[in-house]
Amino acid sequence: MDVAANLARVRAEVDAACVAAGRDPGEVRLLPVSKTHPPAVLEAAYAAGARLFGENKVQEAAEKADHFADHPDVRWAMIGHLQSNKTRQVAAFADELHALDSLKVARGLHRALHELDRTLDVFVQVNSSAEPQKSGLAPEDVEALLVELPALPTLRVRGLMTLALNSDDEGAVAACFQRTAALRDSLPPELLGRELSMGMSGDFALAIAHGATTVRVGQAIFGARETR
């Protein structure tokens, strides 16, 4: 597996999707999702220019952050559902959270971040597909959380995040992205940034066409997930 070649290919595909959508490629970040892969694989991505990595298991992410402690330019994005008892651990190393979906978690993060004199960029997760097994807030519940967050100044609300329906029906997948973008546009701009974290290996081009500013790509860069 040539991580550098994969990274370059995916970045080129992201850029092409931007051009096809009439957007500037500079508007869209590529977030390599490195979960389950060992530090040696991340080192190959780092050598190829990657500086931001996405993880969804707190303990694994903390271990990798410790491994890269001598690389202060590396940033860590937590993308999986966060339990409230893990907020202190995440606050110690993470730079971004793409899965904020409760006030309890937000308050736990704020307390820990305040003690550590750190801040955290957060994306509020929206369950745009209305699937009961998925984390995230129903679209109609997002504003109620957002109005509470200005009281937690260590959290910088950059925008919304969603996981689209896992389906071969392109229209159904696109509807998830459209719903999230429309929700972002309907909310008071003083409550959140304009960013949209949406799109993964199989659907990032469609997400970009509907306004994604961060796409989260794992297998297309690092290959199949490794098992522990």
Side-chain angles (χ1 to χ4, degrees):
M1 181 178 59
D2 189 335
V3 171
N6 290 349
L7 192 63
R9 175 180 51 78
V10 171
R11 182 68 245 185
E13 291 173 358
V14 168
D15 292 351
C18 290
V19 172
R23 299 181 59 195
D24 179 352
E27 296 175 359
V28 180
R29 295 191 306 165
L30 173 58
L31 170 52
V33 178
S34 49
K35 59 186 181 182
T36 77
H37 295 282
V41 176
L42 277 68
E43 287 170 1
Y46 180 89
R51 295 295 182 268
L52 175 66
F53 296 99
E55 297 284 335
N56 74 335
K57 299 294 186 183
V58 174
Q59 186 59 42
E60 180 183 352
E63 291 171 0
K64 289 177 179 175
D66 185 62
H67 178 87
F68 281 90
D70 59 344
H71 293 72
D73 54 345
V74 172
R75 292 170 55 85
W76 301 96
M78 294 302 303
I79 62 173
H81 175 69
L82 180 61
Q83 297 175 321
S84 58
N85 63 350
K86 300 290 182 68
T87 54
R88 180 170 294 278
Q89 193 173 3
V90 166
F93 71 87
D95 301 286
E96 301 181 12
L97 172 66
H98 289 238
L100 183 63
D101 62 2
S102 79
L103 184 58
K104 182 178 181 180
V105 168
R107 286 173 170 163
L109 285 168
H110 172 69
R111 286 193 294 269
L113 289 162
H114 181 72
E115 291 175 7
L116 295 167
D117 195 26
R118 298 191 77 234
T119 59
L120 182 69
D121 290 349
V122 298
F123 294 76
V124 173
Q125 184 171 355
V126 183
N127 187 347
S128 59
S129 59
E131 294 174 272
Q133 74 274 20
K134 279 186 177 175
S135 300
L137 295 167
E140 62 270 21
D141 294 333
V142 169
E143 188 168 5
L145 174 61
L146 289 172
V147 297
E148 301 289 344
L149 298 184
L152 310 175
T154 60
L155 304 180
R156 299 186 299 230
V157 189
R158 289 178 57 169
L160 302 178
M161 174 272 205
T162 200
L163 295 164
L165 191 69
N166 183 14
S167 171
D168 293 329
D169 183 341
E170 187 172 293
V173 174
C176 296
F177 297 142
Q178 291 170 340
R179 198 169 293 124
T180 305
L183 176 62
R184 186 269 319 265
D185 293 342
S186 73
L187 292 166
E190 65 270 18
L191 294 181
L192 77 166
R194 301 289 90 186
E195 297 190 44
L196 294 171
S197 172
M198 56 189 197
M200 300 188 296
S201 290
D203 58 16
F204 67 75
L206 196 58
I208 288 169
H210 290 88
T213 60
T214 298
V215 293
R216 310 176 304 271
V217 180
Q219 292 193 36
I221 296 172
F222 297 110
R225 295 175 186 171
E226 298 194 7
T227 57
R228 292 194 164 193

